[in-house]
Amino acid sequence: MEKDIFRFEINSQNRLLNHIYKQDNIRIIEGMALNKKCIIICSSNSIYFPDTYDEFRTKIICNNYFDGGRISSLLIEYVERIILIRDVRKNFYVTGISEKYNSIDSVLEMLENLTNGYDIITGGGSAGGYMATIIGSYLNAEYVINAGGQWNLYKYNNIIEDYYFIKKNKDDIKYNKFYNLSDKLQNNSVPIFYMYGGLNDFDIEQVKYAENVKNLYPIAIKSQSHAPSVSIEPYLRLLCATKEEILYLCDLNKGSLIEIDTLEKQINTLIKLPEGLKTSWTISGERKQKAYIELLCGWIKSYQKRSLFRESFADYYKVAIYGKGKYCDLLMNELEKQNRKVICIVETQPLDKMYKGVPVVNLKNLPNEVEMVIIVPYYDIDNIRETCMKAIPDVKVIGIDEYIKFI
């Protein structure tokens, strides 16, 4: 019984969730360009995970997280307005984004007022893609970028029973009118660029329910993951594309099962970035996954050999970790066991102030007390190491593969 008190239940009795739901849950970023372009990005259900008080406090309260924050930092000079929205209840926006805008209809009306006279592009993944499609269709957007958004909530992974607010409102027309988008969008006139996991059972099933949706352009990615998407640079290009470029890209891949790397190369080749907008983030999710599988195998082998870390690094006790995430968490645990102090987490463009109670900084603001930087992003260690060594030549810089005794 005592454990239940501290469980983060997503329902109407969660006081902390209700408190944040009373707030805006929208971020409007005024861009530097005067071109009447507006990009709307809808957060997915992964805005905090797992569903715990600690995770909710860290991501939502401390860091005010929205999907699209990093993209916005790059696009701010090239569009006139960027709008980020989130559903902190993680129930497919069925109760909108806040107490004030407490239904999809009220969110649509609010966004219509904010975007009057603008050329609109919407984007999102999974639940965010679901909402981006609704918004894009309603606002007559130029096009929608949808990564694995659902089409029929009645038929998706027991959502009706497992999601509190969806189940609660399943018989109320005010809310359930969007549960089945395949019916709702039969006369849709907006091109929907739809990436989905071509080897994922749930994605494959959902795309079948969208057969009646007009102007849907599906691209099956050769992946078992739900809602796979492209990495930062190609995603930027998609958001900056013309409608003609999007349609050509879709026609190029019609009826095929495409590797994510191949799709990214096509996008980077066919769609130009606005002049002056440059980014080097070209690593795909699939390539990251392969790299981290290799890293994990090396880590496990090291444990089996009972000789995890190199003795040559024994004198470095004040450490910075480059990169957040699950492997950062594992490394932090190991460093703590060795009585080493993690001074900070390093990121190229920090969006969070803290991570697991540790400050997040960029290289320019690296504290002087740091003796060694350990790079976690195994898929791009060489490039990151080179950048670090130029920026902080007096600090020891190694990759996580060097710190772990790979066999």
Side-chain angles (χ1 to χ4, degrees):
M1 180 69 180
E2 186 175 348
K3 287 184 179 179
D4 290 340
I5 296 174
F6 297 102
R7 288 180 61 187
F8 190 88
E9 299 283 2
I10 299 178
N11 57 35
S12 57
Q13 287 76 51
N14 188 322
R15 293 177 61 199
L16 183 59
L17 183 63
N18 289 342
H19 178 71
I20 300 301
Y21 180 68
K22 290 178 182 179
Q23 301 176 29
D24 291 339
N25 295 303
I26 181 172
R27 183 183 297 167
I28 303 170
I29 303 167
E30 300 298 349
M32 298 167 65
L34 299 175
N35 54 14
K36 286 299 178 182
K37 290 184 178 180
C38 178
I39 291 176
I40 302 173
I41 297 179
C42 308
S43 294
S44 70
N45 286 345
S46 64
I47 49 172
Y48 59 93
F49 182 82
D51 299 339
T52 64
Y53 278 99
D54 283 347
E55 187 69 10
F56 187 82
R57 291 178 192 277
T58 298
K59 292 294 287 293
I60 303 302
I61 298 176
C62 295
N63 295 305
N64 196 27
Y65 180 81
F66 288 79
D67 284 356
R70 182 160 295 181
I71 288 280
S72 301
S73 71
L74 298 170
L75 285 174
I76 191 169
E77 298 174 63
Y78 304 96
V79 298
E80 189 164 341
R81 179 168 288 177
I82 303 166
I83 300 174
L84 311 179
I85 64 171
R86 68 187 179 196
D87 173 15
V88 293
R89 288 176 161 179
K90 302 205 303 186
N91 267 240
F92 292 79
Y93 293 84
V94 64
T95 56
I97 61 174
S98 66
E99 230 174 50
K100 183 177 181 180
Y101 303 109
N102 61 2
S103 68
I104 289 178
D105 279 332
S106 62
V107 173
L108 293 176
E109 184 178 348
M110 176 265 293
L111 291 174
E112 186 174 27
N113 292 331
L114 285 174
T115 59
N116 185 31
Y118 285 80
D119 294 326
I120 302 162
I121 295 167
T122 66
S126 193
Y130 165 85
M131 189 60 176
T133 293
I134 295 172
I135 294 170
S137 176
Y138 180 83
L139 297 180
N140 195 29
E142 295 294 303
Y143 55 86
V144 174
I145 306 297
N146 180 342
Q150 291 74 12
W151 297 100
N152 190 326
L153 300 187
Y154 293 110
K155 304 290 185 179
Y156 185 72
N157 199 17
N158 208 36
I159 277 180
I160 302 296
E161 293 301 318
D162 292 345
Y163 285 66
Y164 175 87
F165 293 100
I166 292 177
K167 181 179 181 180
K168 179 182 177 181
N169 297 293
K170 66 179 181 179
D171 297 320
D172 190 334
I173 187 61
K174 177 182 176 182
Y175 301 100
N176 68 16
K177 62 194 291 187
F178 294 100
Y179 282 21
N180 185 352
L181 294 189
S182 56
D183 287 343
K184 191 75 177 173
L185 301 181
Q186 284 189 28
N187 297 316
N188 166 63
S189 61
V190 176
I192 301 170
F193 180 85
Y194 183 67
M195 296 173 283
Y196 70 97
L199 301 177
N200 181 279
D201 290 340
F202 290 120
D203 283 12
I204 293 170
E205 180 186 28
Q206 279 294 299
V207 79
K208 291 178 182 177
Y209 293 118
E211 290 178 351
N212 295 331
V213 176
K214 289 186 178 179
N215 290 297
L216 176 66
Y217 299 91
I219 292 187
I221 294 175
K222 193 175 182 180
S223 172
Q224 294 182 351
S225 300
H226 160 58
S229 183
V230 293
S231 51
I232 294 287
E233 182 175 339
Y235 192 65
L236 275 170
R237 292 177 186 271
L238 290 175
L239 292 173
C240 296
T242 64
K243 186 186 297 186
E244 290 72 27
E245 288 172 329
I246 291 292
L247 295 179
Y248 178 77
L249 185 66
C250 294
D251 188 59
L252 193 64
N253 296 288
K254 186 177 182 179
S256 63
L257 189 65
I258 187 170
E259 296 278 359
I260 189 73
D261 289 348
T262 302
L263 178 60
E264 291 191 340
K265 287 176 183 176
Q266 289 179 354
I267 294 169
N268 290 341
T269 300
L270 295 172
I271 304 173
K272 291 183 178 180
L273 287 170
E275 188 175 351
L277 178 54
K278 295 180 180 180
T279 175
S280 59
W281 293 324
T282 58
I283 308 298
S284 73
E286 292 288 314
R287 287 163 62 190
K288 288 181 181 180
Q289 187 177 34
K290 291 176 183 177
Y292 279 130
I293 288 172
E294 181 183 341
L295 172 62
L296 183 59
C297 288
W299 203 318
I300 292 171
K301 286 181 180 179
S302 296
Y303 263 111
Q304 290 174 341
K305 294 290 183 179
R306 296 295 189 273
S307 56
L308 186 56
F309 299 112
R310 295 187 189 277
E311 295 177 2
S312 56
F313 304 130
D315 295 331
Y316 297 91
Y317 282 91
K318 295 181 179 180
V319 177
I321 300 176
Y322 193 110
K324 298 185 303 184
K326 295 178 181 178
Y327 287 90
C328 171
D329 297 349
L330 292 172
L331 182 57
M332 289 173 73
N333 291 336
E334 293 298 337
L335 293 169
E336 183 179 357
K337 290 177 184 177
Q338 298 168 36
N339 296 317
R340 302 179 197 275
K341 184 177 181 181
V342 178
I343 304 299
C344 62
I345 307 296
V346 180
E347 287 212 311
T348 306
Q349 292 183 326
L351 297 177
D352 303 331
K353 294 180 180 178
M354 301 289 290
Y355 181 76
K356 306 290 184 180
V358 178
V360 181
V361 303
N362 57 28
L363 278 175
K364 292 181 180 179
N365 295 315
L366 189 74
N368 293 330
E369 60 184 309
V370 171
E371 299 169 340
M372 180 168 66
V373 174
I374 304 176
I375 302 167
V376 169
Y378 185 57
Y379 55 86
D380 202 24
I381 277 181
D382 290 339
N383 289 331
I384 296 173
R385 184 191 289 111
E386 183 179 350
T387 299
C388 289
M389 292 177 71
K390 288 180 181 178
I392 47 172
D394 297 329
V395 179
K396 181 76 172 178
V397 178
I398 64 170
I400 191 172
D401 56 334
E402 296 176 76
Y403 199 67
I404 299 170
K405 285 185 175 180
F406 270 38
I407 307 303

